[in-house]
Amino acid sequence: MTVERAVYSFAGFMVLLSLALTHWVHPGFVWFTVFIGANLFQFGFSGFCPAAMVFKKLGLKTERQCAGQV
């Protein structure tokens, strides 16, 4: 799995988790969903993603690095 795919998977999981928490635990968890959306929005403009940095430190490679190995 590449960093990019891991970030997309993680973001999708976090959105679903936050919606489940909002529905079954407390409506205030909707702010967690808002935070995730705001982070995705800022990533679109700045390219900065803390989750990607964590995945890189865990040893995942970027798509560019994987394409260079072919």
Side-chain angles (χ1 to χ4, degrees):
M1 180 175 281
T2 63
V3 170
E4 292 83 2
R5 286 183 179 228
V7 167
Y8 293 140
S9 298
F10 182 69
F13 173 76
M14 293 306 288
V15 167
L16 293 174
L17 175 65
S18 65
L19 290 174
L21 289 170
T22 299
H23 182 73
W24 285 302
V25 177
H26 189 275
F29 276 107
V30 73
W31 291 107
F32 186 37
T33 311
V34 171
F35 171 75
I36 296 165
N39 191 29
L40 289 168
F41 185 73
Q42 72 82 27
F43 171 72
F45 288 100
S46 69
F48 174 73
C49 180
M53 294 177 2
V54 171
F55 288 130
K56 286 179 188 175
K57 287 187 179 187
L58 290 174
L60 293 177
K61 295 182 180 179
T62 64
E63 289 182 4
R64 176 181 276 179
Q65 291 170 328
C66 290
Q69 291 178 351
V70 176

